[in-house]
Structure formats: structure tokens, C-alpha cells
Amino acid sequence: MTTQDDTPKKKSPREKAFALLPTLLTLGNAVCGFAAITILAGIGPVLDVNASGVQADPATRILYAAWLIFMAMLFDALDGSAARLTNQTSEFGAMLDSLCDVVSFGVAPAFMMLHLAAPGNQLMGTLGDFKSPIQSTDFLWGIAALYVACAILRLARFNVETDEEDSHEGFSGLPSPAAAGVIASFPIAVHSLQKLLTKSTEVAAWVQPLGKVIPPTLAVMLPFITLATAVLMVSRIRYPHVFNQILRGNRGRKQLLQLVFTLALVFQVRGMAVPVIFCWFAFSGPAQALWRKYVTKPHKAVAPADS
């Protein structure tokens, strides 16, 4: 016999809306990732360069794709917080989040790397007669496939090892959104550099030589940076959950100094600061760990000799 207490309580329209919000944010993440992939392929919703309906050039399309990956990062940061604030955390939400992350932070950045670093592709800028030593497209495809595989492994491990009681203060291994941000930050930086070079100011005078060196250098280095981020995703190196720490007000003196430095860097060089920030987050921790392990080894205490 069913008692009155056993009858499930009907949710109000407001409660239903709150329950739907985290799911919509998570799906927004996947839509942004899918849009980035289709734009890179040249068959997506590409914005026009001007009002006459001229389609955007490849360099502009890849810039839009980069911003879409960052928009997916924003959705990914908000959906978990929205689920916890509305008390709507569930195993379904965790699985849905990981599936969407595979698209936005696994497939999309790997596809972007192929577009940026492929031989003969000049999306990094005008390379002129520069010949990349990486002439094998198969090699680049292998790195991209390895990146996707590591992102999938990273997300699956996160689901298995994280429960609802987790404090969400940090991660084991580089988070997949941060890894995707490392790759997506370079088109934004190159676009900012090209805009700076077009300005007839004294600032552009010292930047002019960099404009000829940075794009081809990035075309060579980006596959190896992608490989490094793939390895870091499946590593056991601890990374802080920056978004949650900011929301909860966990900011010590070190975090405040880093925030001030970041804002100053962004104000000074704008878009060119984005890869610096993401690469610092991704690689400073491992670099410091290696430095402590192999350079500044702790001295073992020597027992006093018996008299």
C-alpha cells in the first residue's frame, strides 16, 4: 500500500528549469566543439568577412574555431558549478559532460593542430619559402590521433576516480579543457600579432622581425606541444581547479600575484598573452617537478659518527 509519504513530490516549473540548466550548458559545450570542427572543415556556419556575403578566408575561419573552443570551455566551467549550486549533480550529468568534452577538447583541438601544422598549409601566417622539417602528414595525423586517445583516457579516468564527495580543488593530470586551450590559443596569438604588425606605430618596428620568425616556428613546434599536452593529460601530475578556487575565494598571496601578473600581461600584449598563460599552466608544474627532482635534490641527513 502506498502511503502519502511515498508519493513522489512534483517539481515546480522553477525547479524543472534549474534541473535543465546544467544539461543545457553541457550540450552548449558540445555544440561549440562541433561548430569548431565544421568551420575548420569549411562546411560550418562561417561568418562573412563583409556585408557583401564574401566567405571568410581560412585564417579567419580557424580564428573563429579557436574562439568556439574557448566558448566551449566557458560552458564546461559553468555546467558543473550550476549542477552543484542547484543540487542537480548526477552520474548522468558526469557521463554527459565527458562525452561532450571528447568533442570539444579532444577532436576539435586535434583537428585544429592538423590545419595549423600541415605541410603547405599557411594558416599560421605567410611562411614564404619556409619548408617545415615535418613533411609527413602521417606523422601529424598520428600525433592528432594520440591526442584524441589521451583525451578520452583522461576523461574516462576522471569519471572513475571522481565521486560526488570530491572537493573539486584539483585534478590528477592536465585537464582536457586546458590542453585544448593550449592549442587553440596560438591562432588567437598569431591574429593579434598580425594586427599589431599592420599598425603604423613605433611599437610595430620591434615586432616586425618577430612576425617573420614566430609563425613558421609555431608551425614546427605545435605538433610537439600537442604531443606534450597529450602525455600530461594521462600523467599523475596535480593541477589546481582554477575556476572553482576563484568562485570559492581560495586566493592566497601567490594566487593574487599570479592574477596581477596575468592581467598586466593581457593588458600589455593582449591576444599574444593567451598562449603564454595556458602554456604556463600546463608546463610550469612538470618543469618545477623535474627541477626539484634532478637539480635541487634534497640532501640526506648524515648521522653523527660514534665517538
Side-chain angles (χ1 to χ4, degrees):
M1 181 177 179
T2 303
T3 63
Q4 186 175 0
D5 294 336
D6 295 330
T7 305
K9 182 182 178 182
K10 291 185 178 181
K11 293 183 178 181
S12 65
R14 184 176 182 181
E15 289 175 331
K16 291 180 179 179
F18 278 130
L20 188 61
L21 178 60
T23 300
L24 291 177
L25 290 172
T26 304
L27 293 176
N29 167 12
V31 170
C32 289
F34 176 72
I37 295 170
T38 55
I39 285 177
L40 289 169
I43 55 176
V46 182
L47 298 178
D48 295 334
V49 174
N50 51 43
S52 62
V54 179
Q55 193 180 47
D57 61 276
T60 304
R61 292 205 308 268
I62 204 167
L63 179 66
Y64 295 153
W67 281 119
L68 280 166
I69 290 177
F70 278 103
M71 190 176 296
M73 291 174 60
L74 179 61
F75 280 118
D76 183 64
L78 292 175
D79 64 357
S81 300
R84 286 186 288 274
L85 288 173
T86 58
N87 197 24
Q88 297 296 330
T89 56
S90 64
E91 186 177 353
F92 169 80
M95 294 300 175
L96 180 65
D97 184 71
S98 292
L99 289 172
C100 295
D101 286 353
V102 168
V103 177
S104 300
F105 311 133
V107 179
F111 198 50
M112 176 175 289
M113 186 276 292
L114 287 175
H115 274 258
L116 290 170
N121 199 336
Q122 299 187 2
L123 294 181
M124 273 293 192
T126 304
L127 303 183
D129 297 330
F130 175 80
K131 300 297 182 183
S132 171
I134 307 173
Q135 296 295 329
S136 174
T137 306
D138 294 340
F139 175 73
L140 295 174
W141 186 92
I143 292 180
L146 179 64
Y147 177 91
V148 174
C150 288
I152 294 172
L153 289 172
R154 169 72 179 80
L155 292 164
R157 189 182 72 187
F158 177 79
N159 281 347
V160 171
E161 297 181 351
T162 306
D163 53 30
E164 294 185 5
E165 303 298 327
D166 190 87
S167 62
H168 299 281
E169 290 290 336
F171 301 99
S172 176
L174 180 66
S176 57
V182 170
I183 300 171
S185 64
F186 288 105
I188 296 173
V190 171
H191 176 74
S192 180
L193 176 63
Q194 291 173 343
K195 284 185 63 177
L196 186 61
L197 291 174
T198 57
K199 294 180 179 179
S200 57
T201 61
E202 296 179 358
V203 179
W206 64 268
V207 179
Q208 199 74 33
L210 296 178
K212 299 179 180 179
V213 175
I214 290 179
T217 302
L218 289 179
V220 175
M221 293 301 298
L222 189 59
F224 299 102
I225 294 174
T226 304
L227 179 61
T229 56
V231 173
L232 289 174
M233 277 193 288
V234 294
S235 70
R236 288 291 182 179
I237 299 173
R238 296 295 300 178
Y239 286 88
H241 196 313
V242 177
F243 188 78
N244 276 359
Q245 290 184 0
I246 292 175
L247 287 180
R248 297 175 184 179
N250 298 337
R251 295 183 293 272
R253 181 179 300 177
K254 181 180 178 181
Q255 285 74 20
L256 289 175
L257 288 175
Q258 290 176 345
L259 180 61
V260 171
F261 174 77
T262 301
L263 293 175
L265 187 64
V266 171
F267 179 78
Q268 187 66 29
V269 295
R270 294 178 175 82
M272 289 182 286
V274 182
V276 176
I277 295 169
F278 275 88
C279 287
W280 173 262
F281 178 81
F283 301 118
S284 63
Q288 291 173 8
L290 291 173
W291 179 270
R292 288 193 297 267
K293 183 175 182 179
Y294 295 106
V295 180
T296 59
K297 293 181 178 180
H299 298 285
K300 293 182 180 181
V302 180
D306 295 335
S307 55

